[in-house]
Amino acid sequence: MTALPLLRLAARVQIGDVKAADRLVEETLKRAIREAGSQPPDTTVQEWLSQLLLVVFEEQGTKLMN
């Protein structure tokens, strides 16, 4: 899956802390699995995951640092 390295990079840029970024990616992938049927038809997997990552970061941002 080529989307995963890009997702990890985006998370690291967003948070700055490697471990917290990995937690952000993990939470994003969990959300993606739960919402697998909600990907808009005109959106690539990479775009959808990036959007989910931002949503998860907005919801859990500082909690991911612990």
Side-chain angles (χ1 to χ4, degrees), residues 52-66:
L52 286 177
L53 182 124
L54 293 175
V55 169
V56 172
F57 178 72
E58 289 174 3
E59 292 175 356
Q60 299 185 23
T62 56
K63 289 190 278 186
L64 296 166
M65 297 300 285
N66 298 323

Side-chain angles (χ1 to χ4, degrees), residues 7-25:
L7 196 63
R8 289 185 78 208
L9 176 62
R12 287 180 182 183
V13 168
Q14 189 73 29
I15 290 187
D17 179 80
V18 174
K19 289 183 180 183
D22 285 344
R23 284 190 289 276
L24 175 57
V25 170

Side-chain angles (χ1 to χ4, degrees), residues 43-57:
T43 305
T44 67
V45 171
Q46 183 64 51
E47 291 169 337
W48 182 59
L49 288 174
S50 295
Q51 292 168 0
L52 286 177
L53 182 124
L54 293 175
V55 169
V56 172
F57 178 72

